[in-house]
């Protein structure tokens, strides 16, 4: 087995996320690769949640369907997931549950401590059978429960020890994983944390928000580090306030961001337009969930692409990044701040619940030497005749900040003069329109081109964007193993597009399939709008779950012989 | 010494006779009295006739969206607490479109000054009822008369224990500019609701209507006494008290966040990098 | 005769021990006491734990967007004034995201009942401070404690002369259901702010914290006396008065618009056509 | 001369709109055709406003540039418009203004009454020289000022009489117009009024709004007639409230609408998504003005097309109408209500300031027999097992209204069961997605195809949408008179597009030019996205002024020999 798909599940409030995180971190420390998928409902207690860890000794990039190891924290969970078990999958379940049949291991949780210690015991059994070092697990328990006072820590450690003792003596045919390659030191981070850390690296100074799943953890991560990093974070009264606060802060020189999901973004669109008109840098992170309206608040989808491309009235430049994995979440957030500052306007980071919540083992994030303050023009400011909207060749005007130089800074949401004052001069208007649009060139220069991988002259080319990258990558690998010339073209920046970056690839492929987490193939439409190239084959998922390699392969299979 | 000349003189787009002219004078006088130079001050406004004011003086200006002056002002102040931030807009902007931000500002008590040009009508959009329009106020949009009762910003600010709550009148520039000076110097959120005649669209609350009713608060009114303040705030409109109605010394928001005048915009790259490396250590 | 059974029994998605269960009981009991059949009632809610309530009884239901229950309820009532319209949502929904609609509802005085499940926290999004969270309230989003002071819905509604202002407690279902009956029967806007323990995220204002403090209003409290009402509304929290705090007989919004129970949905085609032809005559 | 372009201008607050309207109405009554363009600033007094009436004896459809007759109400106006005068244009100006040069007529306004009567005198001089019957003008003055008490009316009439007397004896070479064809009885209506009257005809029951130029007069017109028509109108506290109120009213069975401009629409997008998810009919009228942000609040633009196409998170059907003239404003508003009801979701009427304020002489609007309540399925409701979101073949579920039948109606912004209750059933989700999207078929069936006019096999085909229709039409006529094979393809419904309706036309034209009132050719991009057809020639205007035939011809000329 090259990877094991592990599912810890039960009711909300049972602490399964804690077990999952501890286990995942141990696996990462042991040198494994992981892809975590969190499945939860819009409620605090009860219902059914699951924390999937797919773990591999060599790199893996996508969630998969069949469960190799189910760790149910309640009986109902077994019913729910029974149908998803891999043929040789195992269920590690409480010995008290009535259950028969093969490949299920009754675990005498009560005997290890019971009650709230079931979680630690489940962690221990699972870790043990996956081949984790006991000392690694002990260290993790100490880190996690040490603060609670020695007593708690000791109790947890003794449950751990007892469970490990029991598990070590088991003799079942559960196939563990080979030892990973000599483990480099890596971080365990999910998409939302990576965005927050990217913002820290980019020098974010202020963040504003109104809580909204699945974006909230971007904010909570920033808040966790705010004191240390000297960042001001404020919960706004609504999303409209959040975006306007960010604009106010950015106007005063603070790199600023907001984070939300589709519905909150809807309320921010007027502010996006304001950022554009006042030429104020603004970074907007949007973690998508299925809509319309409240939709499925805790699930995943890629249904807001077109809304993000076009939200806000009037015409203005913008950039939209769509990271394909956790590492890209970090790097593209840094870049988003730079592009926002270089183009003095709104820039988006578009992810989704799957990626937001998906922990991965990643190479250590590094301080982006190149960032800081690319607004090199600030130096040219002469306070006496400073004009915030001076008409320049590239449309970018020198940016001064109130109270930070002798210059008075005047910004206006109305059409304005170079000095920033409201105007009704209709001859000036088109010049200002063109000035703003000219900044698109700066954005275009900095575009992250799509990444191509797979067969060099593919008969089957998958086009995808954002979080589906890993699933497409693995589907391509499978197809290639089956002897097909398959390849992937993944866009981690979906706007603007530079056809020169990818048209050859598109046109040389025999068959092109767009893979999107939505029902209407929004990115394929965009490609056609920008290039004329019509993609006619589509794999779409819109049931709230992430796209897996299997889903793609099934989709291809359903397309029949021709594909 | 800052002088009136530092704040300049500009052509306006207001109607002749509008109360906004007097408010503009009062604002300039207040800035001079407070000895604030244009560079120290940031005006944030929304959209409306009142919201044009910052274009008519020298200062830092952010003229944003209708209803959204308070959040922009809040963000600006948090980024650079050293600035004197003044939000300036109409009754529609602040109590209509922006009502939710007004409520939040009262709770937050951030050190900004809000000047509301309260002409009790939507001026720029040609005379619809605003949240402070009298009940029964007849307009083209409310031909049967405004069916709602007016918003009482003073009373709401007072029961919400806003830091500084005052009412001024555009017809008394001297008094108004004093109120503005006090509002600016108060550490915390300051509201000055300014009664403003609109000669074009409010034929009910005219200059003389206000003039007849406005009475400066008694010297022995104690603005720190919330009960007395509420009494004043709830008074019927045959006499309209002007002056500082309520005031307290709740700590401003910035203090609770531990912000100094420097604020987050001033952190150096080395400090930021060190913090970053330290933060990462939690993820291994 | 309407019975409790008419309103059904459903599984909920709430945490065991949540105050919402008691509120659901109180609501059903109130509807039965008021002898209202499910068909007569429209529940409108926003998004949050509280806002799920209408899914757990039989009635007409519109479960809309976070913060927007009041405008949907207002539109519904104007379209069909014959309906009993109840807006039901959390403190975050009504005083946070929807704060501006709350202010407008107070001014409008339309005949709808607003039930606010005030658990002083954002429940569904896992425990951030809400507008009614106590100052200093520590959460993951406010690790240094909530820097704002809490919103006082009762005081604001009272100074704004809302039609009916009451506070209930989820720990006293009998009393609460009586309040709801009164709120529904009041012609005009009725607010019932309901103190609700959230066992998962509010470890400060717990059931026993509320229980110790809640005191039914004195029988001789006169809710038509606004000064007495304000006194109650501004009381410190060592004693929390519950009951009908303020009430008046301002005519409801519908009366000012001349709406009858029939409302605009019931005009026939012939009348509409005649009106159309008459209207056109002005354009020749 | 086939038409006269008349410009009455001066400061805001001088009453020039009143003169303009009276004159325009007289002209309509006399049987002339008119195209009114209103040019005003975002202020109440002062500044410079203008009321242009282009008048013709035979049909005209567009505003034009050169002024044939300038009626300045202040001296500054002469300076402002001097450069726009036609070679043989006349200025009728106050005798007191110092002015020399040819073709200007000093009018001794003071001698006719002066003061506030200057307006009536200006009306009289202009009317007289345009050849209007004195009795027609008298009637108009009586209608307009009769209410103010006899004295006022008499005074106005006497000023009128005195002025006419003076004007009759003039002998200048100002060329009037030929008498119009035997005048049928027509209405004078502008775009916004036509939308309001269309709503009345469609049976609108509730309207909600927050004032916003240039949409406000849709609302004010509805309010004017609300009592008579039994319509409930309410000014909301903000646009978010407005759209949610409309949804609430519509849910209860009242045909409902909102009207706004781009910035207000931005705030409504979350509500648009709500209407879609709850399947509630909603008509949204958007009168565009130049953005971003506050932009130029009183000017015109077509810059919000893409935002209207994509506003609102999640995926759902919508229809977008873009009337080309005042008559279409009426008809398409009626249709918008029907389509909203048939598809149970949001439908847009997209106009702009130019059309909103442009008075025209139109054939009488008629009662739309076919409308009323097309929701034929309502009859099938059985209260016992009523399900608001029953899964049907065409995606349209029977619609019951609260309190109007025995059925309990449950609507939900979350993903829901057929019964309307919140669900986490991920197998149901895709079925509900497809159900909602299936309703697109109903919208598609009802599409208004684009209108083709001009040369049957054109070498030069203009593609346009919305209010630019008239200007393109006249540009085409001019080009054809010059011997070119020119034609127009005008879209009054911009979404959805049915390529079958127009691809032949597009493909058979030698050269295609898109004419749009924006800077980024949004409609041309949409055409490409939907058909692959790339339009490479563009005429764009974005200075806040309406597109004129002359602007188009100039644009063509600038494209050089090839075009
Ligand atoms: C989102 C949005 N909605 C509506 C408008 C239109 N609008 C501009 S100013 C205004 C009202 C102004 O009233 P007020 O704030 O009282 O200012 P005043 O003109 O009376 O000084 C409105 C509704 C807008 N600019 N933006
Ligand atoms: C526009 C928008 N912003 C944010 C959210 C996320 N959200 C859902 S419920 C909620 C808070 C709920 O708090 P409250 O209204 O007090 O209800 P409770 O859960 O405490 O009963 C938030 C922020 C949303 N659904 N929509
Ligand atoms: S409309 Fe009223 S508020 Fe606006 S400038 Fe004129 S008088 Fe002043
Ligand atoms: S989170 Fe709080 S409010 Fe929500 S159901 Fe649980 S206890 Fe109740
Ligand atoms: Mg006003
Ligand atoms: Mg709550």
């Amino acid at each position: 087995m090259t990877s094991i798909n592990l599912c810890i599940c039960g009711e909300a409030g049972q602490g399964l996320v804690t077990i999952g995180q501890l286990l995942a971190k141990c696996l990462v420390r042991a040198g494994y690769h992981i892809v975590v998928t969190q499945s939860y409902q819009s409620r605090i207690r009860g219902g059914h949640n699951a924390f999937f860890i797919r773990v591999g000794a060599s790199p893996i990039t996508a969630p998969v369907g069949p469960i190799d190891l189910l760790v149910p924290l309640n009986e109902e969970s077994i019913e729910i997931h029974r149908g998803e078990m891999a043929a040789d999958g195992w269920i590690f379940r409480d010995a008290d549950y009535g259950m028969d049949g093969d490949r299920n291991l009754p675990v005498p949780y009560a005997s290890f401590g019971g009650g709230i210690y079931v979680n630690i015991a489940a962690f221990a059994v699972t870790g043990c059978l996956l081949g984790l070092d006991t000392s690694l697990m002990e260290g993790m328990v100490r880190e996690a429960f040490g603060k609670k006072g020695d007593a708690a820590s000791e109790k947890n450690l003794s449950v751990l020890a007892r469970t490990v003792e029991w598990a070590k003596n088991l003799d079942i045919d559960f196939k563990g994983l080979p030892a990973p390659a000599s483990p480099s030191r890596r971080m365990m981070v999910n998409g939302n944390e990576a965005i927050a850390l990217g913002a820290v690296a980019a020098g974010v100074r202020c963040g504003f928000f109104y809580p909204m799943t699945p974006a909230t953890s971007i904010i909570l991560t920033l808040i966790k580090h705010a004191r240390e990093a000297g960042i001001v974070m404020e919960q706004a009264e609504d999303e409209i306030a959040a975006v306007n606060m960010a604009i106010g802060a950015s106007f005063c020189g603070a790199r600023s961001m907001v984070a939300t999901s589709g519905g909150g973004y809807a309320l921010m669109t007027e502010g996006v337009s304001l950022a554009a008109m006042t030429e104020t840098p603004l970074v907007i992170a949007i973690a998508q969930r299925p809509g319309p309206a409240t939709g499925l608040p805790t699930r995943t989808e890629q249904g807001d692409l077109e809304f993000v491309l076009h939200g806000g009235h009037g015409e203005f430049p913008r950039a939209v990044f769509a990271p394909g994995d956790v590492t890209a979440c970090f790097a593209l957030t840094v870049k988003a701040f730079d592009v926002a500052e270089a183009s003095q306007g709104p820039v988006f980071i578009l992810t989704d619940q799957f990626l937001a919540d998906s922990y991965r083992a990643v190479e250590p994030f590094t301080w982006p030497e190149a960032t800081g303050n690319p607004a090199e023009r600030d130096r040219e400011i002469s306070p006496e005749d400073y004009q915030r909207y001076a008409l320049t060749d590239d449309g970018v005007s020198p940016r001064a900040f109130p109270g930070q130089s002798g210059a008075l800074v005047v910004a206006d949401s109305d059409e304005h003069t170079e000095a920033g004052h409201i105007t009704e001069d209709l001859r000036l208007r088109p010049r200002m329109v063109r000035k703003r649009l000219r900044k698109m060139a700066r954005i275009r220069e900095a575009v992250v081109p799509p990444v191509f991988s797979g067969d060099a002259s593919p008969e089957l080319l998958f086009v995808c964007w954002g979080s589906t990258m890993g699933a497409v990558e693995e589907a391509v690998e499978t197809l290639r193993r089956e002897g097909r010339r398959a390849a992937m073209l993944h866009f981690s920046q979906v706007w603007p597009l530079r056809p020169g970056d990818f048209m050859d690839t598109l046109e040389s492929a025999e068959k092109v399939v767009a893979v999107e987490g939505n029902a209407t193939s929004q990115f394929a439409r965009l490609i056609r709008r920008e290039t004329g190239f019509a993609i006619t084959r589509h794999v779409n998922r819109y049931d709230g779950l992430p796209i897996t390699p299997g889903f793609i392969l099934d989709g291809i299979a359903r397309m029949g012989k021709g594909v | 010494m800052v002088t009136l000349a530092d704040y300049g003189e500009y052509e306006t787009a207001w109607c002749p006779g509008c109360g906004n002219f007097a408010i503009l004078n009062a604002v300039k006088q207040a800035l001079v009295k407070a000895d604030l130079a244009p560079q120290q001050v940031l005006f944030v406004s929304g959209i409306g006739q009142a919201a044009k004011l910052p274009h008519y003086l020298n200062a830092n200006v952010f003229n944003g969206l209708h209803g959204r002056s308070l959040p922009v002002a809040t963000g600006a102040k948090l980024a650079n607490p050293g600035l004197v931030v003044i939000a300036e807009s109409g009754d529609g902007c602040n109590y209509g479109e922006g009502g939710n931000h007004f409520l939040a500002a009262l709770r937050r008590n951030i050190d900004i000054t809000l000047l509301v040009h309260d002409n009790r009508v939507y001026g720029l959009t040609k005379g619809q009822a605003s949240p402070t329009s009298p009940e029964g106020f007849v307009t083209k949009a409310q031909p049967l008369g405004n069916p709602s009762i007016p918003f009482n910003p003073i009373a709401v600010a007072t029961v919400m224990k806003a830091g500084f709550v005052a009412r001024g009148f555009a017809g008394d520039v001297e008094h108004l500019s004093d109120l503005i000076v006090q509002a600016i110097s108060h550490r915390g959120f300051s509201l000055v609701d300014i009664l403003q005649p609109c000669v074009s669209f409010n034929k009910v609350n005219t200059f003389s209507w206000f003039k007849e009713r406005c009475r400066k608060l008694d010297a022995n009114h104690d603005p720190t006494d919330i009960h007395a303040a509420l009494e004043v705030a709830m008074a019927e409109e045959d006499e309209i008290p002007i002056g500082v109605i309520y005031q307290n010394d709740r700590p401003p928001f910035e203090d609770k966040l531990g912000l100094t005048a420097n604020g987050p915009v001033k952190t150096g790259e080395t400090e930021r990098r060190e913090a970053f490396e330290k933060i990462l250590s939690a993820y291994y």
Side-chain angles (χ1 to χ4, degrees), chain A, chain B:
Chain A
M1 216 181 289
T2 59
S3 77
I4 287 178
N5 190 27
L6 165 71
C7 171
I8 304 158
C9 54
E11 287 188 13
Q14 281 192 295
L16 57 93
V17 172
T18 308
I19 313 181
Q21 286 171 334
L22 296 184
L23 206 51
K25 202 152 200 178
C26 287
L27 290 164
V28 172
R29 287 185 180 171
Y32 290 102
H33 296 266
I34 60 166
V35 174
V36 167
T37 306
Q38 298 195 50
S39 165
Y40 52 102
Q41 298 183 326
S42 186
R43 59 192 293 166
I44 306 305
R45 294 290 174 85
H48 180 75
N49 288 5
F51 191 100
F52 293 86
I53 310 175
R54 184 179 169 212
V55 45
S58 41
I60 50 171
T61 58
V64 294
I67 298 171
D68 300 306
L69 176 49
L70 183 73
V71 184
L73 299 188
N74 62 5
E75 236 174 316
E76 198 197 0
S77 291
I78 300 174
E79 273 331 295
I80 291 173
H81 292 290
R82 211 195 262 277
E84 296 163 53
M85 295 304 297
D88 57 355
W90 272 87
I91 300 176
F92 292 1
R93 48 98 185 172
D94 194 317
D96 286 351
Y97 302 162
M99 187 182 179
D100 43 36
D102 275 355
R103 313 189 73 78
N104 82 74
L105 175 73
V107 185
Y109 285 120
S111 75
F112 307 134
I116 58 163
Y117 298 101
V118 165
N119 284 353
I120 284 297
F123 163 74
V125 179
T126 317
C128 235
L129 279 140
L130 287 171
L132 287 177
D133 250 25
T134 309
S135 63
L136 189 62
M137 292 194 283
E138 275 171 10
M140 187 57 66
V141 168
R142 221 173 259 118
E143 268 178 46
F145 301 99
K147 321 152 206 161
K148 287 189 189 164
D150 283 350
S153 184
E154 287 319 306
K155 176 75 188 173
N156 276 304
L157 285 169
S158 81
V159 172
L160 178 77
R162 238 173 301 161
T163 316
V164 167
E165 204 47 46
W166 174 85
K168 273 210 294 224
N169 298 319
L170 284 171
D171 178 21
I172 60 171
D173 75 339
F174 175 75
K175 285 189 220 70
L177 284 165
S182 77
S184 69
R185 198 166 169 250
R186 292 152 326 140
M187 302 168 67
M188 182 175 96
V189 186
N190 68 26
N192 273 356
E193 289 170 342
I195 290 174
L197 295 173
V200 172
V204 71
R205 306 283 78 217
C206 294
F208 302 96
F209 67 102
Y210 189 82
M212 188 159 197
T213 311
T216 309
S217 61
I218 297 174
I219 294 301
L220 294 180
T221 305
L222 278 170
I223 287 173
K224 191 156 73 188
H225 307 307
R227 279 259 291 234
E228 195 148 27
I231 301 167
V232 172
M233 297 293 301
E234 170 60 358
Q235 180 173 319
E237 54 274 25
D238 55 33
E239 287 85 351
I240 303 172
V243 73
N244 280 281
M245 285 174 180
I247 290 169
S250 180
F251 173 66
C252 287
R255 284 190 159 200
S256 300
M257 78 179 294
V258 294
T260 187
S261 190
Y265 164 64
L267 294 167
M268 291 183 179
T269 53
E270 196 194 12
V272 169
S273 181
L274 176 67
M277 188 55 146
T278 57
E279 306 199 34
T280 310
L282 172 67
V283 172
I284 304 142
I286 300 177
Q288 295 165 99
R289 65 193 216 186
T294 312
L296 288 168
T298 62
R299 305 295 174 173
T300 201
E301 192 163 281
Q302 295 186 304
D304 296 335
L305 173 63
E306 290 178 326
F307 188 27
V308 169
L309 289 172
H310 303 295
H313 54 298
E315 301 181 285
F316 51 86
R318 79 182 79 202
V320 184
F321 295 100
D325 61 17
V326 168
T327 301
C329 283
F330 176 80
L332 294 178
T333 300
V334 174
K335 177 144 190 156
F337 277 94
D338 285 349
V339 173
E341 195 155 303
S343 65
Q344 302 187 3
V347 171
F348 295 85
I349 304 158
L350 186 60
T351 67
D352 52 34
Q353 178 269 330
F354 161 61
L355 182 54
D357 291 331
S358 184
Y359 288 99
R360 312 277 171 102
V362 295
E363 293 303 316
F365 293 157
T366 55
W367 180 254
E369 297 294 344
T371 192
N373 197 332
E376 73 288 348
R377 284 153 189 269
D378 291 3
R379 284 171 231 130
E380 296 166 25
I381 288 161
S382 88
E384 298 68 43
D385 52 5
Y386 176 69
Q387 301 206 102
R388 175 67 193 91
Y389 303 111
L391 289 163
T392 57
D393 285 349
D394 64 358
V396 181
S397 316
R399 209 168 144 236
F401 306 123
Q404 295 198 43
S405 68
L408 294 180
V409 192
V410 180
D412 191 12
S413 76
D414 299 275
E415 192 54 276
H416 39 253
T417 61
E418 289 181 271
H421 287 295
I422 181 171
T423 184
E424 299 258 5
D425 179 348
L426 302 187
R427 282 173 308 273
L428 180 57
R429 159 77 182 171
R431 300 179 65 201
M432 281 292 170
V433 170
R434 286 191 294 265
K435 164 203 178 350
R436 287 188 290 269
L437 293 178
R438 274 201 299 280
K439 295 189 295 178
M440 203 64 204
R442 277 216 173 182
I443 296 177
R444 206 167 264 123
E445 270 161 33
V447 157
V448 182
V451 164
F452 176 87
S453 71
D455 190 284
S457 54
E459 43 115 355
L460 191 56
L461 176 69
F462 293 95
V463 172
C464 61
W465 61 281
S467 75
T468 56
M469 180 174 79
V472 174
E473 227 162 35
E474 293 202 18
V476 164
E477 276 165 35
T478 305
L479 288 166
R480 294 183 74 191
R481 274 198 302 274
E482 291 170 2
R484 297 197 60 171
R485 288 184 289 112
M488 172 187 83
L489 185 65
H490 175 266
F491 289 77
S492 64
Q493 181 162 5
V494 290
W495 186 254
L497 298 180
R498 293 186 310 207
D501 288 339
F502 57 85
M503 277 312 286
D504 286 353
T505 311
L506 271 188
E507 279 168 351
S508 62
E510 286 164 36
K511 301 178 206 91
V512 179
V513 177
V515 178
E516 300 190 51
N518 58 43
T520 61
S521 302
Q522 298 182 25
F523 186 65
R525 300 210 278 201
L526 179 67
I527 293 267
R528 189 173 195 199
R529 191 187 83 182
E530 293 299 305
T531 68
F533 189 93
I535 300 176
T536 53
R537 296 179 179 89
H538 303 279
V539 172
N540 300 91
R541 183 163 204 172
Y542 44 91
D543 61 358
L545 296 172
I547 288 183
T548 59
F551 188 91
I552 297 169
L553 297 173
D554 286 354
I556 293 300
R558 263 199 309 277
M559 285 178 197
K561 277 271 147 58
V563 184
Chain B
M1 267 298 294
V2 177
T3 67
L4 269 183
D6 292 325
Y7 281 96
E9 285 268 11
Y10 297 84
E11 237 188 87
T12 82
W14 291 324
C15 311
C18 176
N20 282 330
F21 292 102
I23 300 178
L24 176 58
N25 281 340
V27 167
K28 288 195 213 165
Q29 286 183 22
L31 294 169
V32 171
K33 285 187 207 169
D35 201 27
L36 288 166
Q39 288 81 357
Q40 298 173 268
V41 185
L42 168 62
F43 279 89
V44 179
S45 67
I47 293 296
Q49 300 285 27
K52 290 177 185 165
L53 183 142
H55 285 292
Y56 307 144
L57 44 68
N58 290 325
N60 296 292
V61 175
F62 191 97
N63 182 189
L65 298 169
H66 180 59
R68 315 303 170 192
S69 57
L70 281 173
V72 172
T74 302
K77 183 76 182 177
L78 289 175
N80 186 351
L83 288 169
V84 171
V85 179
I86 300 175
E88 180 123 27
S89 266
D91 45 329
C93 222
N94 285 299
Y95 309 140
E97 186 81 73
N100 203 31
H101 314 308
F102 180 70
L103 285 185
L106 300 176
R107 296 199 296 108
R108 243 181 226 117
N109 199 35
I110 189 165
D111 185 17
I112 59 186
T113 294
L114 172 63
L115 305 180
V116 182
H117 301 211
D118 191 351
N119 58 5
R120 305 184 171 192
V121 75
Y122 285 2
L124 191 58
T125 47
K126 303 200 172 176
Q128 301 81 17
S130 91
T132 51
S133 293
E135 188 178 355
F137 187 67
V138 174
T139 79
K140 280 193 189 157
Q142 285 78 24
L144 307 178
N146 176 18
S148 291
I149 64 167
F151 182 60
N152 186 337
I154 300 287
V156 168
T158 303
V159 293
M160 285 303 303
K161 298 178 183 159
F164 179 97
V165 184
R167 187 191 279 128
F169 172 39
D172 191 339
V173 172
E174 189 57 36
H175 180 250
L176 176 58
S177 73
D178 281 343
L179 289 179
I180 297 172
V181 171
Q182 291 178 68
I184 292 172
S185 70
H186 175 84
R187 286 196 72 229
F189 182 71
S190 307
L191 164 69
V192 187
D193 185 81
I194 306 168
L195 303 172
Q196 174 222 336
C198 165
V199 295
S200 292
F201 297 114
N202 191 332
K203 314 281 174 168
V204 174
N205 311 112
T206 59
F207 180 83
S208 55
W209 189 94
F210 283 124
K211 186 82 193 165
E212 278 160 25
R213 286 165 178 78
C214 285
R215 296 276 180 283
K216 278 183 204 143
L217 273 170
D218 228 64
N220 54 28
H221 170 69
D222 176 5
T224 65
D225 174 351
I226 195 164
H227 296 284
L230 267 176
E231 200 76 23
V232 171
M234 300 293 290
E236 294 300 325
E237 291 232 305
D238 37 324
E239 274 216 351
I240 307 181
I242 59 175
V244 181
I245 294 169
Y246 177 66
Q247 185 164 14
N248 64 30
D249 52 9
R250 271 170 67 192
F253 193 75
E254 300 88 310
D255 288 9
K256 298 195 188 164
L257 263 52
L259 289 181
T260 64
N262 269 336
V265 287
K266 309 260 171 88
T267 323
E269 173 153 350
T270 330
E271 292 147 86
R272 291 202 292 101
R273 181 172 186 159
E274 277 164 18
F276 175 73
E277 304 293 355
K278 236 168 103 192
I279 285 165
L280 287 197
S281 63
Y283 294 84
Y284 287 96

